[in-house]
Amino acid sequence: MTDYKSLFTGKGNTPQAPASHLTPPRYRLLLVDDEPGIVNALRRVFRQENYEIVTANSGQDGLARLAEGPVQLVISDFMMPGINGAQFLREVKQRSPDTIRIMLTGHANTDAVMGAINEGAVYKFILKPWNDDDLRVTVALALEQFDLITRNRALKTENAQKAKEISALSKLAATHRSRLGIMLHKKNLLSSAQLQELTLLQERRSEPMIALLLEKDWVEERKIRKLLTSDLLIEEVQLPEFAIDPVLTEIIPRSFCSRQLVVPLKLQGRHLMIAMADPLDEGLVDEVRFTAGLDLQIVTADVAAIRKKIDEVYGSGSDVDFKELETLIASPDPYEGIEIVIEDDDGARLEDLLRETEAPPAIRLANAIIIEAIRLGASDIHIQPRTKSVVVRYRIDGVLIDKIQIPHQQHQSLVSRLKIMSELDISERRHPQDGRITVKTPMRMVDLRISTLPTINGEKVVMRILDRNSAVHSLANLGFSPVDLPRVTDMVARPQGIILATGPTGSGKTTTLYSLLQHDATPDKNYVTIEDPVEYYLDMAGQVLVREKIGLTFPSVLRALLRQDPDVILLGEIRDFETAEVAFHAALTGHLVYSTLHTNSAVATIARLFDLGLKPYVVASALEGIIAQRLVRQVCPKCREAVAADPALRRRLGGDYAGIQQTFRGRGCTDCHGTGYKGRVALYEVLTMDDELRDCIGSGASVLEIRRKVRGKGLRGIGQHGLEKVQAGITTLDEILRVLGPQAGESS
């Protein structure tokens, strides 16, 4: 149990001397608040701590104090004259990234605060009035994290310096180290001039001598192998006979093996068998012995076989070295690992499994893949086994991108690690499995929804990333057109009925519903959500997580919820008749219900409700509105440029798209990772109900009749909204074609 009292000087187990008699303070704290009483109260909280306290009465004054010297931690109010607390802490982050930033306030703009948290500008958000002991512990833990970040950076700098030194030693050792050329000269297979040329070439290129020999084609490799085995009695092995343990890839990295033409074969105790194309390279032998820290058994093999074995063991064409993966991902989080948050009561069994599978390669690889996905802002992670390798793919802004290749030898251990993290059956590889896990990095907490699927090449794993710190957008920021926004606002203001958001998976339906839920939310109403999984966390709402394995299904939870006196209900998804029946019954009995359906358009949603088995009069009476939507990528604002519209795309989209003459695109820059797109925006189709339309639906009219009625009322299709976004330079014709297809012009 951590003794938090030991983290700060004023509350230890032994009597403390006054701060003035202690050693010079290690930490400098900046307190910023426009109320002198608050500043004095904060001073009193830390009066027994060995901190240097600096104060400021505004954000501008705080930046001036920051410029006077290093500050380890800042505590700032939100409501201040001039620049507010969120703006001030963002500026502090820019000027002093390592400084820990805490916001202390009693009334804050939620969007501004959540925006600051998501940007990493705020470490903690603490409400007034505060508890003195809690505040002191929070500050002490934050300063401890500051020390960890500082030490971590120092270690990385030290490691980089050591890597440079090792590289320099390696290059130095490559010169005049192989006796192969001298032996061939003595056997009259190389002339003196050829030997001299080889030596100079090796000094210049730092490549193995045997590679240079074969490049020059001066001596047949068959003759070299015969000399090594017959005259020097060096054992020649057949590499296809060796099944190499993946753990050996952690001892010697791929880049070294490829450069020096070596491959590790077998490890027994402290003895490592290694195949070398040039076993007479004494400098290389010493380098491997030093790097691995093991005794070596040297054997030889031909160059082609070694290169083939390297591709087999490390992955063909992969540029990713597992020891170098940590450097590759360049995670901004202060810690390189992640913490598993076990939310189930059954934790003992999982802990045992974790101890049994504490294989460093699998753990580091799993952590690195997850952290890299969070850094890139990916929504999904795909681990897809293929014939020759396993590809890790990230869905970024709705598009899958290949990021990492790993060898098949690492695949099963990686899948097992992910299964254990999500409490799945690691012995079951024949059936699909679903699970979830909560992981925590020092700066954020995310939920992962994990699905496994057996394929002919091995188990495929897909992970959906749900960020707990994601802020709920306001209706005005969702991207509704000026025509649709008032209609949506009126829809939300109704006291009862059901409102549906529709679209394919990943189209932002839940985000839209949460924005509707939060719009004009008041404390005098009871808000409840039923989801699988919970994608946003709201303090104002009671949120229920569906768990079908234990019988906690959508219909059962919804029935129980109706006895909880709800006013507004958010139902994650309508999947079947039972759920639809209970949801529409709730809407008919005086509740406002939000939910989602997987349909392609607003009119198709009505047809889907009929298909589920709902009566037309029930749909007509309860339904208040339908919002059909899609997500398209936005043109990167930093590399945006005007271009002439592609005639072929205009013709293919048709309709009003055919008249577009100029569009915008992104050239590709570091900010958008060379894609030309950054972020996504929604396209909407909003259908609101009126008496005429209710009568049409309730009378049992066909879908065709309903569609004609809706079009006669001037419904703006998704294609029309997409056209507006293209004309405004927000997205491109390519994106419209990718998301809406060639029929986009028909709905414009």
Side-chain angles (χ1 to χ4, degrees):
M1 190 75 180
T2 303
D3 182 13
Y4 291 112
K5 294 180 180 180
S6 64
L7 295 173
F8 41 86
T9 60
K11 295 286 186 179
N13 293 325
T14 58
Q16 297 288 332
S20 60
H21 299 293
L22 298 175
T23 58
R26 291 178 56 198
Y27 305 108
R28 190 164 182 253
L29 274 58
L30 174 60
L31 311 178
V32 185
D33 200 300
D34 60 325
E35 298 182 28
I38 298 295
V39 174
N40 291 333
L42 289 173
R43 277 184 175 274
R44 286 194 296 272
V45 172
F46 303 113
R47 66 182 182 275
Q48 294 183 334
E49 311 306 326
N50 192 22
Y51 302 149
E52 180 186 348
I53 303 296
V54 182
T55 62
N57 57 15
S58 67
Q60 292 88 344
D61 190 25
L63 294 175
R65 301 287 80 78
L66 187 68
E68 295 173 356
V71 172
Q72 284 73 46
L73 185 139
V74 175
I75 300 177
S76 173
D77 187 27
F78 178 79
M79 298 296 291
M80 295 188 298
I83 60 174
N84 62 37
Q87 295 167 334
F88 167 65
L89 293 179
R90 288 191 188 98
E91 188 61 29
V92 172
K93 181 187 178 183
Q94 292 292 324
R95 300 188 183 189
S96 181
D98 292 346
T99 299
I100 305 295
R101 301 165 295 276
I102 296 177
M103 183 177 291
L104 186 66
T105 185
H107 49 281
N109 181 286
T110 304
D111 290 340
V113 172
M114 292 305 298
I117 293 173
N118 293 336
E119 294 170 12
V122 178
Y123 167 73
K124 288 286 185 183
F125 175 57
I126 301 175
L127 290 174
K128 298 176 183 176
W130 63 82
N131 179 282
D132 287 357
D133 287 339
D134 289 347
L135 181 58
R136 293 169 73 242
V137 170
T138 298
V139 168
L141 291 173
L143 292 172
E144 188 179 56
Q145 176 170 304
F146 176 86
D147 288 340
L148 286 172
I149 295 172
T150 305
R151 288 198 296 271
N152 186 49
R153 181 177 293 105
L155 286 172
K156 284 187 176 181
T157 304
E158 184 181 348
N159 289 339
Q161 183 61 36
K162 288 182 178 179
K164 289 182 181 179
E165 293 175 359
I166 292 173
S167 178
L169 289 172
S170 176
K171 291 179 180 178
L172 182 63
T175 307
H176 299 298
R177 65 186 188 183
S178 179
R179 294 184 288 116
L180 180 61
I182 298 173
M183 183 189 75
L184 295 175
H185 177 61
K186 289 181 177 180
K187 295 291 184 178
N188 295 318
L189 295 175
L190 279 181
S191 66
S192 298
Q194 288 173 327
L195 178 60
Q196 186 176 2
E197 184 178 343
L198 276 176
T199 303
L200 293 173
L201 193 61
Q202 189 182 25
E203 290 179 1
R204 189 167 65 249
R205 293 169 52 176
S206 300
E207 294 180 18
M209 181 163 287
I210 190 166
L212 300 174
L213 268 169
L214 298 180
E215 181 184 309
K216 292 291 187 179
D217 199 23
W218 285 339
V219 185
E220 294 180 7
E221 187 177 7
R222 176 179 54 82
K223 293 182 179 179
I224 297 175
R225 295 279 160 256
K226 186 176 179 181
L227 286 174
L228 292 174
T229 55
S230 60
D231 291 20
L232 302 178
L233 302 179
I234 298 173
E235 182 185 357
E236 185 176 7
V237 296
Q238 302 300 316
L239 294 184
E241 298 177 359
F242 286 84
I244 299 176
D245 192 335
V247 75
L248 297 182
T249 62
E250 295 293 321
I251 299 176
I252 305 178
R254 177 196 173 100
S255 56
F256 183 90
C257 293
S258 300
R259 187 173 65 253
Q260 302 298 347
L261 296 176
V262 302
V263 61
L265 300 179
K266 186 166 59 178
L267 181 63
Q268 292 181 327
R270 290 195 53 79
H271 296 275
L272 175 66
M273 178 186 286
I274 184 168
M276 304 177 62
D278 184 3
L280 300 183
D281 194 334
E282 295 177 349
L284 177 59
V285 173
D286 291 339
E287 186 177 352
V288 174
R289 186 181 290 111
F290 174 78
T291 303
L294 300 169
D295 298 326
L296 301 183
Q297 178 188 349
I298 306 298
V299 296
T300 188
D302 64 81
V303 172
I306 288 176
R307 285 172 173 161
K308 185 178 180 180
K309 201 66 177 178
I310 291 172
D311 287 341
E312 178 187 323
V313 174
Y314 291 89
S316 179
S318 174
D319 295 327
V320 179
D321 194 306
F322 300 120
K323 278 190 172 296
E324 299 166 356
L325 187 59
E326 177 183 49
T327 306
L328 173 69
I329 63 176
S331 172
D333 287 335
Y335 304 133
E336 294 168 28
I338 59 177
E339 175 185 348
I340 305 170
V341 180
I342 303 174
E343 297 182 327
D344 245 322
D345 295 331
D346 186 19
R349 180 179 61 83
L350 181 59
E351 288 178 1
D352 294 339
L353 288 172
L354 284 173
R355 281 194 294 270
E356 294 171 7
T357 60
E358 203 68 17
I363 292 174
R364 287 201 299 273
L365 184 58
N367 291 354
I369 289 171
I370 294 171
I371 292 175
E372 174 72 344
I374 295 172
R375 184 184 74 84
L376 293 174
S379 61
D380 300 86
I381 305 171
H382 290 236
I383 301 173
Q384 184 168 341
R386 294 176 176 171
T387 306
K388 295 183 178 180
S389 63
V390 180
V391 181
V392 179
R393 313 170 77 196
Y394 295 140
R395 188 176 295 278
I396 302 172
D397 292 336
V399 178
L400 277 173
I401 302 172
D402 292 2
K403 280 294 182 181
I404 304 169
Q405 287 190 352
I406 59 177
H408 267 294
Q409 290 82 353
Q410 292 285 338
H411 174 242
Q412 194 52 56
S413 61
L414 173 62
V415 174
S416 297
R417 171 62 180 168
L418 294 172
K419 282 184 175 181
I420 289 171
M421 291 167 68
S422 52
E423 299 185 79
L424 300 179
D425 185 357
I426 61 174
S427 63
E428 180 55 72
R429 303 178 185 177
R430 300 167 301 170
H431 298 287
Q433 296 187 70
D434 295 310
R436 57 170 55 87
I437 181 177
T438 300
V439 298
K440 181 173 69 174
T441 69
M443 302 303 290
R444 69 190 72 181
M445 182 177 289
V446 300
D447 292 325
L448 301 177
R449 187 170 61 182
I450 298 178
S451 172
T452 69
L453 181 70
T455 71
I456 59 172
N457 295 318
E459 286 185 282
K460 180 183 178 183
V461 181
V462 176
M463 293 181 278
R464 167 66 59 88
I465 301 173
L466 305 169
D467 195 343
R468 288 194 176 186
N469 293 327
S470 297
V472 178
H473 301 281
S474 66
L475 280 183
N477 293 331
L478 285 182
F480 286 107
S481 68
V483 176
D484 289 334
L485 183 58
R487 300 165 68 187
V488 174
T489 305
D490 291 342
M491 200 190 300
V492 176
R494 298 177 185 181
Q496 68 275 323
I498 187 167
I499 299 172
L500 298 175
T502 71
T505 302
S507 59
K509 300 185 297 296
T510 303
T511 300
T512 298
L513 290 186
Y514 266 95
S515 298
L516 299 178
L517 181 69
Q518 188 174 262
H519 183 72
D520 290 339
T522 57
D524 60 351
K525 290 184 179 179
N526 181 17
Y527 300 88
V528 187
T529 75
I530 309 170
E531 301 171 81
D532 180 24
V534 177
E535 296 191 23
Y536 293 89
Y537 288 79
L538 294 178
D539 286 336
M540 69 176 190
Q543 297 181 278
V544 182
L545 177 63
V546 170
R547 295 190 176 186
E548 294 189 355
K549 291 182 180 179
I550 61 173
L552 205 64
T553 62
F554 277 111
S556 63
V557 176
L558 187 54
R559 285 194 180 93
L561 179 61
L562 294 177
R563 297 189 290 271
Q564 292 280 316
D565 187 31
D567 295 297
V568 181
I569 302 169
L570 191 153
L571 182 62
E573 184 183 348
I574 294 177
R575 300 177 177 177
D576 49 39
F577 169 72
E578 190 178 5
T579 309
E581 185 183 36
V582 179
F584 273 76
H585 174 73
L588 288 171
T589 53
H591 305 89
L592 182 60
V593 181
Y594 300 107
S595 191
T596 70
L597 270 176
H598 289 90
T599 58
N600 293 326
S601 67
V603 176
T605 302
I606 298 173
R608 174 61 177 156
L609 293 173
F610 292 163
D611 185 59
L612 286 173
L614 293 176
K615 303 295 183 184
Y617 69 87
V618 173
V619 175
S621 302
L623 188 62
E624 292 293 341
I626 302 171
I627 303 173
Q629 63 184 84
R630 300 289 191 279
L631 288 177
V632 294
R633 291 183 292 175
Q634 296 186 95
V635 178
C636 176
K638 289 196 175 180
C639 59
R640 180 173 174 264
E641 63 179 7
V643 294
D646 187 343
L649 283 177
R650 289 190 292 147
R651 285 194 304 270
R652 194 171 182 189
L653 290 169
D656 293 336
Y657 287 92
I660 297 177
Q661 299 299 320
Q662 178 180 284
T663 61
F664 291 84
R665 70 172 185 186
R667 293 188 307 275
C669 61
T670 56
D671 200 53
C672 62
H673 304 289
T675 63
Y677 298 96
K678 187 173 178 62
R680 288 188 291 177
V681 65
L683 308 180
Y684 293 101
E685 177 182 285
V686 179
L687 173 63
T688 55
M689 302 294 289
D690 57 19
D691 291 340
E692 190 178 352
L693 190 55
R694 290 186 195 277
D695 184 64
C696 181
I697 296 172
S699 63
S702 67
V703 174
L704 183 60
E705 291 178 73
I706 296 172
R707 183 177 287 111
R708 288 172 181 166
K709 182 71 68 176
V710 168
R711 287 183 176 178
K713 292 182 175 295
L715 175 70
R716 290 164 44 85
I718 293 180
Q720 178 64 40
H721 201 189
L723 178 66
E724 294 173 2
K725 297 296 185 185
V726 172
Q727 292 172 331
I730 296 173
T731 190
T732 65
L733 292 175
D734 298 88
E735 271 298 286
I736 297 295
L737 181 63
R738 182 183 70 85
V739 174
L740 299 183
Q743 71 274 19
E746 298 173 8
S747 59
S748 67

